[in-house]
Amino acid sequence: MSEQDANARYVREVVVEPDAIARARAHAVELGATPLSAAIGAQCAVLAAATGARSMVEIGTGAGVSGLWLLRGAPKAVLTSIDNEPEHLAAARTAFHDAGIAPTRARFITGRAADVLPRMNEAAYDIVLVDADPENVIEYVEHGLRLVRTGGTVLVPRVLAGGRVADPVQRDAVTAAYRSLIQETQRSTAVLVALSSTGEGLLQLTSIADASDGT
């Protein structure tokens, strides 16, 4: 086993996931809503805490795993969660209730993100997590950068597409979208960029200027 593989396995195994999130993960797997890895969830929690987040958005609710990690890091925040699958939203509501999250701290919106995001207020959020419809990831990130305040962060998990992004032979639409997103944001003067290779990968974009003209 290579050093890189050994490190990846160690990171996967060492993260301790709270019981409520572990239960939500099991339910997500049953629903076929692939949840974030615990390693990426923990990173999101740390970033929410470091940001001092009070208002967050997640695009793609799943069964509540990502939302629970975000709220774990930001215990005073309100999370708006968008998903077009009522079953997923129902599962997340149950997971939040079981975790003791007050109803006033979560707002669930049923609908297509492409329809919902344009109606949301600019520069009003501290964290936006983009984890839905990977073929539309660039559009969603552009919305996310519009929604976050200066100093706010857009998080994009799964951005390495299971190793396909690093393989120049892979040219499917989703892989190309993630690859373009990474390359374009690296050149942007409107954001600070960090790309984590932990788990399924996490792209972190912190707004430092008006990003309303895109990435």
Side-chain angles (χ1 to χ4, degrees), residues 47 51 125-130 137-138 140-146 148-157 159 180-188 190-196 202-209 211 214-215:
L47 290 165
T51 303
Y125 299 92
D126 302 303
I127 297 280
V128 174
L129 176 73
V130 178
V137 66
I138 293 176
Y140 292 167
V141 168
E142 288 174 348
H143 279 297
L145 290 172
R146 179 181 61 82
V148 294
R149 60 171 174 81
T150 299
T153 298
V154 176
L155 302 173
V156 189
V159 73
S180 294
L181 174 64
I182 293 168
Q183 294 170 348
E184 290 175 14
T185 52
Q186 288 288 340
R187 293 191 293 265
S188 175
V191 293
L192 294 175
V193 185
L195 177 59
S196 170
L202 181 68
L203 181 65
Q204 306 156 60
L205 308 170
T206 296
S207 174
I208 57 174
T215 59

Side-chain angles (χ1 to χ4, degrees), residues 79-93:
L79 174 69
T80 299
S81 189
I82 305 166
D83 203 296
N84 64 355
E85 292 287 347
E87 188 177 16
H88 294 177
L89 290 163
R93 286 190 182 94

Side-chain angles (χ1 to χ4, degrees), residues 82-141:
I82 305 166
D83 203 296
N84 64 355
E85 292 287 347
E87 188 177 16
H88 294 177
L89 290 163
R93 286 190 182 94
T94 299
F96 281 31
H97 177 270
D98 291 348
I101 303 296
T104 54
R105 295 189 57 213
R107 175 189 179 209
F108 297 99
I109 299 177
T110 305
R112 295 176 62 250
D115 297 328
V116 175
L117 294 171
R119 302 197 299 268
M120 300 182 74
N121 293 332
E122 295 185 10
Y125 299 92
D126 302 303
I127 297 280
V128 174
L129 176 73
V130 178
D131 187 27
D133 307 331
E135 64 276 8
N136 297 319
V137 66
I138 293 176
E139 176 187 354
Y140 292 167
V141 168

Side-chain angles (χ1 to χ4, degrees), residues 2-94:
S2 70
E3 178 182 345
Q4 184 175 3
D5 290 340
N7 288 340
R9 186 180 70 177
Y10 179 76
V11 169
R12 284 196 306 270
E13 294 175 351
V14 77
V15 177
V16 177
E17 192 163 55
D19 290 343
I21 303 181
R23 290 194 297 270
R25 177 178 303 281
H27 196 182
V29 172
E30 291 174 2
L31 290 175
T34 305
L36 297 182
S37 68
I40 292 297
Q43 283 195 34
C44 291
V46 168
L47 290 165
T51 303
R54 292 300 185 99
S55 187
M56 303 184 291
V57 177
E58 64 171 354
I59 303 166
T61 305
V65 172
S66 54
L68 288 173
W69 274 115
L70 287 170
L71 289 170
R72 178 174 172 81
K76 296 183 179 179
V78 174
L79 174 69
T80 299
S81 189
I82 305 166
D83 203 296
N84 64 355
E85 292 287 347
E87 188 177 16
H88 294 177
L89 290 163
R93 286 190 182 94
T94 299

